[in-house]
Amino acid sequence: MIPEIGYFALVLAMALSLLLCIFPLWGAYTGNLRLMRAAPSLALGQCLFVLFSFGILIYITLTDDFTVAYVAHHSSSTLPWYYKVTSTWGGHEGAILLWLVMQSSWTALVALMSKSLPWVLRARVLGVLGFLGVGFMLYTLWMSSPFERLLPYFPVEGRDLNPLLQDPGMIIHPPLLYMGYVGLSVSFSFAIAALLTGKLDNTWAKWSRPWTMVAWAFLTLGITIGSWWAYAELGWGGWWFWDPVENASLMPWLVATALLHSLAVTEKRGVFKSWTVLLAITAFSLCLLGTFIVRSGIIVSVHAFATDPDRGLYILSFLAVVVGGSLALYAARVSQVHSEGRYRFASREVALWLNNIFLVVATLIVLLGTLLPMIHKELGLGSISIGVPFFNQMFAILIVPFALLLGIAPMLRWKQNKLSPLAKKWLVNVALSLVATAAWLFSNYEQVSALTFMATALAVWIMFSTVSDLLQKISLQASISEGFKRLGLSYWAMVLGHVGLAFVIASVTLTSAYSVERAVAMKPGDIATLNEYQYRFDGVKEIRGPNYSGHAGVVTVLKDDELVTELYAEKRLYDIGMQFMTEAAIDDGFFRDLYLALGEQMSQGAWSLRIYHKPYVRWMWLGGILISLAGFIVLADKRYRRRVKKGAQA
Amino acid sequence: MNRKILGFLPFLIFVLLCVFLYQGLFGNPRELQTGRLGQTMPSFNLPDLMDENKRWTEKDLLGEVYLMNVWGTWCPTCIAELGYLTKLREQGVKIVGLYYEQAYDPDFGDHFDMNALRKEVDTMLSRAGNPYQFNILDLERSLALDLGVSGAPETFLVDKKGTILLHHTGDINQRVWRSKFLPALEELQ
């Protein structure tokens, strides 16, 4: 009975979504205020029913109701309770329900926080969100319900959660990623509402900006955690594979990053308006395209997701309606949009325009690399594969002008600049970065390739330029504390974001160039040396977890005869699926990670082990966290806070 | 360019993309290399996985319709399909395993322990089901390369004369079996 209640709650939510789509949009079209006013309560009601339904899925998973197919396929009675909760989004149907939870929560939040918007705009934004809700709920109810029963024959034990997903990273990675994906649907709705209203002024950009910022911050965090999970859990020591599924989350991120910068220009200067709208549409479209790629099986990926052509066809149809419809609307309206502001070549406008070009080109590279193998085949040209080297090379080329620009742009002012005083500052920064990079690399490493030097110098250059601009701006104020206060949170967010990117670039460069690994066969007592560390193999002990058994290789790490740490590299065999999992042992550090994976047992008590030394690898995730922090910090900005307060009083 | 035409450009590009996505959806991207279809099984002479003194050649397989299933214990999807394949064996389908070892690297061979592998395979098959008449060990991946195998699991359907009728990439389940393998088998009779 209980699963059926969960399903029924979704049906009710879907009915409310349908009304949320029709009433306000119709009301805005005919100017009927009563219809428009229904929107916020419909949005809240829809959200409550979806949350209730999701609560029921969690409940039936926790109570091991294996008559429900989803629970039988993705959970088991021996699974620890927190992974049972995780399993509610570990499979396709549950993941889509989680998407619905996010979607309806964002919609409810928009309904609550948009009180100071004009009714016509507010109704349209919520109406578009309602339309998206209908699309996803129909999909869930029709072909992807997590409440389907396995009656009359049901298993006494579930098939367990895929061991790969039994990891803390997996508990938070999908919700964060979906927060980001679905959050971009808010920017999308604002864009469509603005196009429908025909008023593409900077009010639209002002409203859309904080929402986009938060969605983007969640997306950044989600991707960062995903990369960390791949590193910690997959046992191959890597953090990014350019797999179609990874690319599916990177594309909306790149476009959303472009959108953030372009929204700033539109809000402050009233230019790039049609371009910004197009970016908002594109960012969410790429989320839908990503979902399609991941869920349809159209592209073969290393990530095992439920794939099914029927589901693919539904998502493709939905994609065609949503994206096709909005691009057609865009085409019809764009010729009426005119830019107001004027600017010269040496201006912040042009710098941000270039930033957008780079980010969009990067997106196109990822899109082409992901889809080209399929298109190639459809055109009858045979199978080709585009792999990691293609993406690495293209991004290596693209990052050079991008990073150079990033160091210059924040110092530029709107409209126009005199370049000569700035040029002097830039030259100083260039010289400083080169010297600092040389000092850093040559004191640590015997061999430094030109490419490594250049890429590191770019990261240092971003760091220097950002910090020197910050110091300059503070020094203009009466006192340092005054400077800190005056700069504004948007500026601080920019500093954080750019510094974070510098960390990521440095990390990717140095860890690619200077990671070393050794595969060794060791008997108890053997010592292997890698860089300045000695690894002593102390044998293997049996381990027993709640739903797995296996071995842990015990390794003592020494440096100059001093104990550094003791590592346990596990090899687990999960009881139900009989799957072997490598649980790498990691000693993390600010400057290096010691990473250890246990291999096979060999003859005469020896075991094979893989030892990695990964310099600066942690900076990557540190950078990602800093970048996402930039997005969250902006929310505390007075401009947005004031408006929320004002809205609350109204 | 005219502003109006420029505005339509994203729409047109999207429509074009949709056409490809639609085709891709039904173009069955999992049939990657079909180059081997209709040809005979390449000749090989490889040891048995469980007993290296016993060797198998393509001639041993003539005279019967069989499935050749490429698999490995390192591959979760392979383990997942063992149950269904075992059911097929019980229904009288002859299934030969082509064991594809991932950990073994010819340039790095000294770390490979045959006994450990046999033990692992044995545990796996006794717990998840054993669909195989026997397993061929293709350590150097010579047969896998000749067949155009790109990963695991992959399955070939071969007739009595040794002609390859079907090459399936991905797991075999009821849906795949009914829609793909059964029609091909019926055609044989």
Side-chain angles (χ1 to χ4, degrees), chain A residues 20 24-25 27-28 36-37 39 118-128:
Chain A
L20 177 62
L25 285 178
M36 291 193 255
R37 285 201 162 171
W119 266 110
V120 175
L121 187 59
R122 191 181 181 195
R124 283 189 167 135
V125 169
L126 289 172
V128 175

Side-chain angles (χ1 to χ4, degrees), chain A residues 544-624:
Chain A
R544 173 76 223 167
N547 53 351
Y548 60 86
S549 57
H551 308 283
V554 185
V555 173
T556 307
V557 185
L558 303 158
K559 185 181 177 184
D560 305 327
D561 292 327
E562 300 229 359
L563 177 75
V564 176
T565 182
E566 198 165 67
L567 294 173
Y568 300 90
E570 296 181 11
K571 188 125 203 160
R572 297 175 179 176
L573 178 63
Y574 280 81
D575 298 339
I576 295 173
M578 285 297 292
Q579 296 180 38
F580 286 99
M581 284 293 309
T582 304
E583 196 83 359
I586 302 169
D587 179 55
D588 48 16
F590 190 69
F591 295 108
R592 53 95 191 111
D593 270 23
L594 310 177
Y595 185 108
L596 200 74
L598 184 67
E600 309 300 323
Q601 182 170 19
M602 302 164 58
S603 47
Q604 293 145 12
W607 286 76
S608 75
L609 286 160
R610 272 174 303 133
I611 309 170
Y612 299 82
H613 184 100
K614 300 199 146 288
Y616 303 103
V617 66
R618 219 136 279 273
W619 287 18
M620 193 150 9
W621 306 302
L622 172 71

Side-chain angles (χ1 to χ4, degrees), chain A residues 298 324 337 575 578 601-602, chain B residues 3 11 21 29 113 124 127:
Chain A
I298 190 166
V337 181
D575 298 339
M578 285 297 292
Q601 182 170 19
M602 302 164 58
Chain B
R3 231 183 135 75
F11 180 74
L21 290 176
D113 182 358
M124 187 71 79
R127 295 214 15 201

Side-chain angles (χ1 to χ4, degrees), chain B residues 73-92:
Chain B
T73 52
W74 48 271
C75 146
T77 317
C78 302
I79 309 312
E81 72 172 353
L82 281 178
Y84 190 74
L85 288 178
T86 308
K87 259 188 225 163
L88 290 178
R89 182 190 184 177
E90 284 158 8
Q91 289 165 20

